[in-house]
């Protein structure tokens, strides 16, 4: 299953609480909560390029499945991570105490981030 495509954020759960726990400033959280973000994924075999555009903020990460890479977190901090593919539709990474799971089902991507007992969920549809 190919992840390649553009996806628009449809809904998110627990955004404010999770971003506060990450340490993002309130002003940035308030600005970010109502902006529809667009995720663009380009998959070439085991190589991935992911660009998430939220207003004027652009987050860009590239990785190869199973290889260590540097990922930029929502806070702008860069951390080392290894992304694994589970089955043919789930990308899983652990970033500095944060577990990220991106699951593709048809034209819907569900991205769940878990930190301790806090979970943040984003649902995006292919456009």
């Amino acid at each position: 299953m190919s992840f390649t495509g553009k996806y628009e954020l449809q809904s998110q759960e627990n955004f404010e609480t999770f971003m506060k726990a990450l340490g993002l400033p309130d002003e940035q959280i308030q600005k970010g909560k109502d902006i529809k973000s667009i995720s663009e994924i380009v998959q070439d075999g085991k190589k991935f390029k992911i660009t998430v555009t939220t207003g004027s903020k652009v987050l860009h990460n590239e990785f190869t499945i199973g290889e260590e890479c540097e990922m930029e977190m929502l806070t702008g901090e860069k951390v080392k991570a290894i992304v694994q593919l589970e089955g043919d539709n789930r990308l899983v990474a652990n970033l500095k105490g944060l577990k990220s799971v991106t699951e593709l089902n048809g034209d819907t991507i569900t991205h769940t981030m878990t930190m301790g007992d806090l979970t943040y969920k984003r649902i995006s549809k292919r456009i």
Side-chain angles (χ1 to χ4, degrees):
M1 185 177 293
S2 176
F3 283 80
T4 297
K6 270 190 177 184
Y7 302 86
E8 183 177 26
L9 181 66
Q10 299 297 306
S11 65
Q12 53 188 355
E13 297 166 16
N14 219 6
F15 175 79
E16 288 183 65
T17 309
F18 196 83
M19 295 306 146
K20 261 192 203 332
L22 273 181
L24 284 181
D26 285 346
E27 182 187 312
Q28 207 173 331
I29 293 170
Q30 291 309 313
K31 266 200 264 180
K33 73 175 184 174
D34 296 321
I35 298 174
K36 286 284 185 223
S37 78
I38 303 284
S39 301
E40 185 170 4
I41 301 174
V42 178
Q43 179 183 358
D44 181 7
K46 290 184 165 204
K47 290 186 176 169
F48 283 78
K49 287 181 188 173
I50 299 179
T51 307
V52 180
T53 306
T54 308
S56 61
K57 182 161 176 48
V58 179
L59 193 67
H60 182 77
N61 284 309
E62 291 186 32
F63 58 88
T64 300
I65 298 296
E67 292 180 17
E68 188 176 70
C69 64
E70 191 174 75
M71 305 274 281
E72 185 179 349
M73 295 183 56
L74 297 167
T75 55
E77 182 182 358
K78 294 191 185 303
V79 295
K80 298 252 183 254
I82 296 174
V83 182
Q84 301 291 356
L85 183 64
E86 292 182 355
D88 63 355
N89 70 330
R90 278 170 61 107
L91 298 169
V92 180
N94 287 296
L95 314 154
K96 201 181 164 193
L98 178 87
K99 183 175 184 182
S100 168
V101 178
T102 304
E103 189 166 359
L104 177 64
N105 287 306
D107 285 336
T108 303
I109 279 192
T110 304
H111 183 201
T112 308
M113 288 185 274
T114 310
M115 186 171 58
D117 57 359
L118 270 182
T119 300
Y120 165 51
K121 189 179 202 176
R122 298 166 51 96
I123 296 171
S124 301
K125 287 246 190 265
R126 193 183 299 262
I127 51 176

